[in-house]
Amino acid sequence: MRRLQNRPHLLEVAYDATEKALQPFKKVLKPGGKMEKVFVKGEKLTKGMIFDCRMCGDCVLHSTGMTCPQTCPKTLRNGPCGGVRPNGHCEVKPEMMCVWVQAWGRSQKMPEYGKQILTIMTPVSKNLAGTSAWINDLNSDKVKKVPTGWSEE
Amino acid sequence: MKSGSRLERVLRSGRFAVTAELNPPDSADPQAVYDHAVVLSSVCDAINCTDASGANVHMSNVGVAALLARAGYDPVVQFACRDRNRISLQGDVLGAAALGVKNVMCLTGDGVQAGDQPEAKPVFDLDSITLIRTVKTMRDKGRFLSGRPIESPPKVFIGGAENPFAPPYDFRPLRVQKKVQAGVDFIQTQYCYDMPRLREFMKQVCDMGLDKKVFILIGVGPLRSPGAAEWMRTNVPGIVIPDAIIERLNGVEKKKQRTEGKKVCIEIIQEVKEIAGVSGVHVMAYKQEELVAEIVEQAGLLPRYWSREPETASNGHVASRN
Ligand code: SF4
């Protein structure tokens, strides 16, 4: 399943389709609602298998080359850091490929969302850990992902 | 002027800036800091105070910076996201500013595995880019990340780092662009030993027009011996030293290796000075601070006019960097 990550374009299409498919169910999919548990299980299973998802609750996969930033040992959302080894491996875990080297490479193969790797990701809200990122996305008006004082200019 | 720091004044006046890194002491004695600072002070515009670099404990960044500010130097206090969460970082920025520090450098930080206490808990609540945006929000909007207002905002010159010598190479200039969007005022790079790579990086930076939006200082430093160079590139994260440099050091007698290392550093500075878009150099002489003065002098970067007020900017594009 992990190999799927090397088909970033396919994954971005799947992301798009899931987002559209969920829209009509917006009313029943509420944070803390009945469906949340089911979604959490489903996300853990599917995104876990494909992306090694850490259930941060604020999914930015499509902005990070369909590569989960929470798997970076420094959990960088705006990586890569300056410690990447000459062979492209991680500073912290030398046996592992740098998550951001992969993210950058994959983003180049994503015609739709690839450019988003250039936008600044906000720091992740730790209080969303373990919740469903899909439900949080559908309820972006209620779920607070961006700190109030974060200025965007 | 955003901070009025000496570094900001030198850069805005269009002069080639020199900053140097101070190796913080393993001591509670302020004299230890002054002993290190005194050899740097007359040859640089600002002094970087590291934040447990390489994940090894030393006297704290804010401690060292406050001592330097008190003595009339211009410290650049480095903050790494490794050891502090957003609550602590924002408080420390205010504290440092209150103690007279006017330059804040926002870093991701080396992983804890690099240091002598690899069992420590890494934090990384923010990353370098979100920290830059946070400090900018504090300075320009006068509020914390929570939105709560700050009575007297910290007037600081905001720095960031870049490593043009680490993969993914083609993303590095774009990452500088991201930092510019986040609000960085100046960039200091990792040690440069690979001129072709630096040229390529600076060309991209200039093509993107970033050299007009941010001051870029290139990191340089002397290598003591081939052995030390080998040790640095295997043990210190992010340092790339091409084999050719190590061979060059190996090519001279043991006694002369240190001088040769210094020579390499001076040659690099002289080349760096000529590259379009470069605003200065950042000298890091790990455990050989006494060499910094010789290097800066022999590279033709003296005198430093830091005690004088800068002339008004003569050159249009410098003045336009808001
Ligand atoms: S970004 Fe968060 S939700 Fe998305 S895959 Fe990574 S840990 Fe899971």
Side-chain angles (χ1 to χ4, degrees):
Chain A
M1 281 299 258
R2 288 279 150 81
R3 291 227 193 102
L4 258 180
Q5 275 192 92
N6 296 325
R7 309 277 308 275
H9 179 49
L10 186 84
L11 290 169
E12 71 173 342
V13 171
Y15 166 83
D16 231 9
T18 319
E19 191 175 36
K20 292 209 177 82
L22 287 177
Q23 277 305 329
F25 303 102
K26 216 177 146 171
K27 281 226 173 73
V28 283
L29 297 175
K30 292 279 167 239
K34 276 198 210 106
M35 287 304 287
E36 170 120 35
K37 273 198 187 123
V38 182
F39 265 68
V40 166
K41 278 214 177 98
E43 275 181 47
K44 246 189 205 154
L45 193 71
T46 53
K47 288 204 289 189
M49 264 193 308
I50 306 173
F51 304 107
D52 191 16
C53 169
R54 306 293 164 91
M55 296 302 289
C56 73
D58 180 4
C59 200
V60 290
L61 275 172
H62 59 287
S63 304
T64 55
M66 301 310 282
T67 307
C68 172
Q70 303 305 114
T71 61
C72 160
K74 299 184 184 177
T75 60
L76 300 183
R77 292 213 144 196
N78 292 287
C81 73
V84 185
R85 292 165 195 265
N87 62 359
H89 282 226
C90 172
E91 172 206 316
V92 180
K93 296 185 179 166
E95 66 288 354
M96 173 177 129
M97 200 52 192
C98 163
V99 168
W100 278 92
V101 167
Q102 291 180 313
W104 169 243
R106 288 171 185 154
S107 74
Q108 297 306 289
K109 296 183 202 137
M110 290 167 50
E112 204 167 332
Y113 293 104
K115 280 246 152 27
Q116 290 222 21
I117 200 160
L118 300 179
T119 57
I120 298 173
M121 296 293 121
T122 55
V124 69
S125 300
K126 302 290 186 292
N127 48 357
L128 294 179
T131 62
S132 160
W134 280 116
I135 293 183
N136 291 341
D137 257 353
L138 284 174
N139 295 279
S140 45
D141 47 330
K142 291 190 207 76
V143 177
K144 198 164 139 247
K145 290 194 202 164
V146 181
T148 313
W150 182 262
S151 83
E152 268 305 346
E153 35 55 295
Chain B
M1 250 352 129
K2 289 172 176 166
S3 68
S5 75
R6 190 173 298 150
L7 177 63
E8 182 178 8
R9 283 187 279 135
V10 168
L11 287 169
R12 288 201 195 284
S13 71
R15 285 198 306 259
F16 195 78
V18 178
T19 56
E21 189 165 288
L22 182 137
N23 299 311
D26 294 334
S27 164
D29 181 0
Q31 193 54 44
V33 173
Y34 294 131
D35 289 346
H36 286 282
V38 77
V39 295
L40 302 175
S41 61
S42 59
V43 296
C44 71
D45 305 306
I47 300 178
N48 276 53
C49 310
T50 58
D51 186 5
S53 70
N56 291 303
V57 189
H58 303 290
M59 186 191 287
S60 80
N61 52 349
V62 176
V64 173
L67 288 169
L68 294 184
R70 189 200 279 174
Y73 301 119
D74 188 30
V76 178
V77 63
Q78 302 188 174
F79 282 110
C81 296
R82 180 195 52 233
D83 309 316
R84 298 172 172 80
N85 67 9
R86 61 189 86 180
I87 298 173
S88 174
L89 282 164
Q90 293 172 87
D92 273 344
V93 167
L94 282 190
L99 287 162
V101 178
K102 292 178 176 159
N103 310 288
V104 170
M105 173 95 178
C106 306
L107 305 170
T108 302
D110 302 320
V112 293
Q113 90 292 341
D116 59 356
Q117 300 185 66
E119 63 280 12
K121 181 177 183 184
V123 179
F124 300 111
D125 182 27
L126 301 182
D127 59 32
S128 57
I129 293 182
T130 51
L131 177 57
I132 289 168
R133 170 57 45 89
T134 302
V135 178
K136 186 179 160 67
T137 304
M138 291 172 68
R139 180 189 69 192
D140 296 349
K141 303 265 158 170
R143 56 188 185 193
F144 295 112
L145 268 190
S146 66
R148 193 151 49 78
I150 299 171
E151 246 168 70
S152 179
K155 293 289 170 227
V156 288
F157 200 41
I158 305 174
E162 193 45 77
N163 187 356
F165 314 101
Y169 306 115
D170 46 347
F171 189 53
R172 295 292 166 183
L174 292 164
R175 191 153 174 271
V176 172
Q177 186 181 44
K178 259 182 127 172
K179 292 193 175 182
V180 168
Q181 278 166 11
V184 85
D185 300 312
F186 69 99
I187 296 273
Q188 290 171 322
T189 76
Q190 183 54 278
Y191 282 104
C192 167
Y193 294 105
D194 183 346
M195 291 310 297
R197 176 77 68 205
L198 180 70
R199 286 213 172 80
E200 184 56 35
F201 169 80
M202 284 308 301
K203 187 179 170 300
Q204 280 172 275
V205 163
C206 293
D207 287 349
M208 290 160 72
L210 295 173
D211 57 317
K212 306 276 188 288
K213 295 183 177 146
V214 62
F215 299 102
I216 298 176
L217 287 77
I218 307 299
V220 293
L223 296 166
R224 188 202 302 262
S225 67
E230 196 60 67
W231 183 88
M232 269 169 72
R233 72 173 178 181
T234 23
N235 293 296
V236 188
I239 299 187
V240 181
I241 304 173
D243 294 336
I245 301 256
I246 298 193
E247 275 159 32
R248 180 169 161 188
L249 296 181
N250 265 323
V252 299
E253 281 173 61
K254 245 203 156 81
K255 274 199 312 236
K256 296 198 176 132
Q257 283 173 342
R258 199 161 175 220
T259 322
E260 191 66 14
K262 195 177 82 177
K263 232 167 100 190
V264 171
C265 179
I266 293 168
E267 287 169 21
I268 291 175
I269 295 179
Q270 281 161 342
E271 280 188 59
V272 161
K273 250 171 77 180
E274 302 307 320
I275 299 178
V278 173
S279 296
V281 284
H282 175 52
V283 193
M284 297 170 276
Y286 182 65
K287 290 197 179 151
Q288 357 179 43
E289 274 149 336
E290 66 290 352
L291 276 189
V292 175
E294 289 174 39
I295 290 170
V296 174
E297 188 192 354
Q298 288 169 31
L301 298 175
L302 286 185
R304 308 303 313 159
Y305 293 106
W306 55 264
S307 54
R308 264 206 257 146
E309 280 301 306
E311 309 85 53
T312 34
S314 52
N315 144 347
H317 92 247
V318 172
S320 74
R321 281 186 265 203
N322 47 31

